[in-house]
Amino acid sequence: MGLDMYLTGEKYFFVYPSDQARIPREDGFEARSHTLRLGYWRKHPNLHGFIVNTYADGEDHCQSIHLDESQIEEIIAAITAETLPYTEGFFFGTSDGTEKDEDLKIFTAALAWLRAPEQGVFKSIHYQASW
């Protein structure tokens, strides 16, 4: 039990009938989307608190929180400036201050993935936690 945190990327495929061959297939069926794990944290409540308070109006119900490019840039800036707020919660554990490099690596890679153009694909990023 504890705070598990996920950053996921979703690739939604859209093509016109003339491009049907471009639609990925799995198990003999057309795939509508693919979900990618862009990042995972175990008990990093300060990052969790920043995302929930900034992008979900402080409402923490383990809901999926959509993050756009500018929001990811804001997260990167807060990590870089070391301004993630101290956050605590039942079974949350504590952020130990050693996460900065890994956090920056994850969010920088996620932002690059989101910005990389891909024909016939719409991309989105979501954060979600469970506890």
Side-chain angles (χ1 to χ4, degrees):
M1 209 177 236
L3 180 63
D4 291 296
M5 306 157 53
Y6 304 90
L7 190 68
T8 57
E10 188 87 19
K11 293 173 74 169
Y12 298 94
F13 306 111
F14 63 91
V15 295
Y16 296 103
S18 61
D19 292 333
Q20 285 293 95
R22 293 181 45 101
I23 296 176
R25 299 183 71 80
E26 286 189 28
D27 300 329
F29 297 95
E30 292 179 357
R32 178 175 175 233
S33 67
H34 283 154
T35 302
L36 310 171
R37 181 185 277 188
L38 302 177
Y40 170 78
W41 299 265
R42 174 83 175 139
K43 297 189 178 191
H44 188 357
N46 295 356
L47 176 61
H48 176 73
F50 179 83
I51 293 171
V52 168
N53 290 327
T54 307
Y55 307 115
D57 297 324
E59 295 292 323
D60 189 0
H61 303 290
C62 297
Q63 75 273 28
S64 179
I65 300 170
H66 176 262
L67 299 172
D68 64 26
E69 286 185 45
S70 65
Q71 292 166 327
I72 294 171
E73 289 171 342
E74 291 171 357
I75 294 167
I76 291 170
I79 293 166
T80 301
E82 299 181 2
T83 57
L84 298 177
Y86 175 76
T87 304
E88 58 186 3
F90 194 62
F91 293 123
F92 274 22
T94 58
S95 296
D96 64 15
T98 64
E99 304 93 352
K100 182 179 179 179
D101 290 341
E102 185 67 15
D103 293 349
L104 290 173
K105 178 181 167 186
I106 289 169
F107 281 104
T108 300
L111 186 57
W113 173 82
L114 185 61
R115 289 179 171 163
E118 199 170 336
Q119 187 176 1
V121 172
F122 170 76
K123 298 177 183 179
S124 67
I125 292 179
H126 293 86
Y127 168 81
Q128 189 165 12
S130 64
W131 34 268

